[in-house]
Amino acid sequence: MTAPALDSERLLADSIAGKFPDARGRFGPFGGRYVPETLIPALERLEEGIRKHLHASDFQLEYQLQLKSWIGRPTALTYAARLSKLWGAEIWLKREDLAHTGAHKINNAIGQALLAKRLGAKRLGAKRIVAETGAGQHGVASAAACARLGLPCTVYMGAVDMERQAPNVGRMRLLGATVVPVTTGDRTLRAAIDEALRDWVADPLDTYYLIGSAVGPHPYPYLVRELQAVIGREARAQMLEDAGGLPDVLIACVGGGSNSIGAFHAFVPDKSVAIIGIEAGGRGKGLGDNAATLSYGSPGVLQGSFSMLLQDQDGQIQETHSVSAGLDYPGVGPEHALLLAAGRVRYQTASDEEALEAVKACCEYEGILPALESAHALIGAKQWAARYPGQRILVCLSGRGDKDMPTLQNTLLAGAQ
């Protein structure tokens, strides 16, 4: 399938004006709702609940209280002095690794869990939560949010990801969640989403699907964006106060795209700020060697949404590869596809080796262990600094790297005494 011809200037103007998603759940040509008929009533209830509750004062009061007293927001903005000297630019880190459970995922998880309790108030909300996870951070966040609110939680996780993210599997179980290994398909995030969708289809009335990224059928991409937009709002205000002005460039890693769309949203209208999304370049450009959907993909439908996908000439979704489990996904949120088509955000790649290099540098120069996902964004900062020395660079450090220790033991620390 070829990409549709688009008026990029009009798309960008409509995006800035807040016209997306439209009434059909579209971000320009992307997005929509491609699901079995059995899920339409559940999605319509969710959409109605979002309109009623999400921006209501009582919901926001409860949500903001959880963000402050439980998650620990606002998260810090850290000036990375030694990395700045090493790379020759001002490097500022938006520290989502400092949020409760160790990543940005908790912003979305607690928001959706609160919403799930309000949906269908006559039935006292959803009776159970299902979620999917790749790197495990969304699973941990969902388990924690459900424990906080007293909701049963089932998390689907690919068998491959369970092996490389073993610490997070234990955390989910300690938090009271049931973790279900997915042994079908590619046994990573895509397969986990498939299984979570099957669970939801089987019981859409009493089950709430707490999706972890800005993907899936409408209204999920919008809902996740709204819950994660706190990242960008905080970072913009902090840059003005602490750095004395807006950044020259904002950089974040992109898998499904929740940390990045949350960081980008507040800055899209700022014409002076370049915005860069860094995808998983993996082992190379070949199909199956990376997870760089926006860099190498083409339009198609996956798991309820029309967006950019990694697929072959026959439209078959391909397995992906990344050293980072959280970026190992063959699709991307439809709003990212819009921002690419509108020319507002530039998307590029970082390889496995480069990401590991960035983990090492951030540890040794700043005393911060970043997630492998976040390390891709750090490589983007290094590359930008080499091209534009002295500029002010804001990086969304989406999570911490404790969860990646099994992978790091087999790579960076292999053979270390």
Side-chain angles (χ1 to χ4, degrees):
M1 185 181 295
T2 58
L6 302 172
D7 182 341
S8 60
E9 291 185 5
R10 177 62 181 273
L11 283 176
L12 181 57
D14 286 349
S15 176
I16 292 172
K19 294 184 179 181
F20 298 131
D22 62 19
R24 299 180 305 145
R26 295 275 185 169
F27 295 84
F30 304 104
R33 185 182 285 166
Y34 298 82
V35 296
E37 287 296 321
T38 53
L39 283 182
I40 294 298
L43 288 166
E44 289 177 341
R45 283 197 304 273
L46 176 58
E47 187 175 6
E48 180 183 356
I50 290 170
R51 285 196 299 267
K52 180 179 180 180
H53 297 295
L54 185 61
H55 295 295
S57 58
D58 60 334
F59 180 87
Q60 281 296 317
L61 184 65
E62 187 176 10
Y63 179 52
Q64 295 300 325
L65 179 62
Q66 296 291 347
L67 292 181
K68 179 180 179 181
S69 67
W70 188 60
I71 294 176
R73 303 206 71 91
T75 56
L77 180 72
T78 298
Y79 177 59
R82 297 190 67 217
L83 276 182
S84 296
K85 184 177 181 180
L86 179 69
W87 291 345
E90 283 188 39
I91 310 295
W92 294 83
L93 307 176
K94 179 55 176 167
R95 300 289 306 282
E96 292 304 293
D97 60 307
L98 296 179
H100 177 49
T101 71
H104 67 289
K105 294 293 188 180
I106 195 67
N107 307 321
N108 169 61
I110 191 63
Q112 286 200 53
L114 287 168
L115 188 61
K117 293 202 74 167
R118 291 186 177 225
L119 293 179
K122 293 180 181 179
R123 298 188 303 104
L124 300 178
K127 294 181 180 178
R128 62 188 289 266
I129 299 293
V130 297
E132 87 298 326
T133 196
Q137 287 302 123
H138 175 61
V140 170
S142 297
C146 288
R148 178 77 167 169
L149 301 181
L151 290 167
C153 181
T154 298
V155 180
Y156 290 91
M157 188 172 189
V160 170
D161 291 337
M162 288 184 72
E163 291 180 9
R164 60 181 173 175
Q165 300 292 326
N168 273 345
V169 176
R171 293 172 73 195
M172 285 183 270
R173 288 171 172 158
L174 280 172
L175 290 164
T178 299
V179 184
V180 179
V182 178
T183 58
T184 56
D186 62 5
R187 298 178 297 150
T188 61
L189 180 58
R190 175 165 64 100
I193 293 175
D194 285 339
E195 289 302 317
L197 284 168
R198 289 189 186 98
D199 187 320
W200 190 27
V201 168
D203 184 18
L205 188 63
D206 291 324
T207 298
Y208 181 91
Y209 179 21
L210 203 167
I211 201 164
S213 196
V215 299
H218 177 67
Y220 278 111
Y222 166 76
L223 174 59
V224 175
R225 192 277 308 282
E226 288 296 283
L227 294 172
Q228 293 291 5
V230 63
I231 301 171
R233 290 195 300 269
E234 285 180 6
R236 194 178 187 282
Q238 288 168 324
M239 287 296 295
L240 290 172
E241 181 176 354
D242 297 347
L246 294 177
D248 295 298
V249 62
L250 164 62
I251 303 175
C253 66
V254 181
S258 63
N259 95 92
S260 44
I261 206 64
F264 294 171
H265 188 61
F267 290 89
V268 167
D270 294 308
K271 295 181 179 180
S272 66
V273 180
I275 305 178
I276 308 292
I278 307 296
E279 298 187 287
R283 296 179 295 244
K285 296 181 179 181
L287 199 59
D289 287 332
N290 60 74
T293 308
L294 293 158
S295 299
Y296 306 129
S298 57
V301 174
L302 175 66
Q303 293 169 336
S305 179
F306 178 70
S307 189
M308 299 295 287
L309 313 176
L310 290 171
Q311 54 191 333
D312 64 18
Q313 293 180 345
D314 297 319
Q316 297 300 307
I317 305 301
Q318 298 298 290
E319 292 188 6
T320 56
H321 165 77
S322 173
V323 71
S324 56
L327 302 184
D328 202 358
Y329 182 62
V332 70
E335 192 165 4
H336 282 290
L338 167 70
L339 292 172
L340 173 67
R344 180 62 184 95
V345 179
R346 185 190 313 170
Y347 295 89
Q348 57 197 55
T349 67
S351 70
D352 288 349
E353 289 186 1
E354 288 173 323
L356 290 167
E357 169 197 328
V359 169
K360 191 170 187 292
C362 194
C363 286
E364 293 183 355
Y365 281 82
E366 294 298 335
I368 297 170
L369 172 58
L372 279 165
E373 292 79 10
S374 310
H376 287 70
L378 288 169
I379 282 296
K382 179 182 178 182
Q383 292 170 344
W384 186 273
R387 187 174 180 183
Y388 302 105
Q391 287 205 347
R392 183 181 293 153
I393 302 172
L394 172 60
V395 177
C396 182
L397 203 73
S398 59
R400 65 178 182 240
D402 307 51
K403 67 181 180 60
D404 295 314
M405 284 309 299
T407 298
L408 297 175
Q409 289 283 3
N410 293 326
T411 52
L412 288 180
L413 299 176
Q417 298 300 318

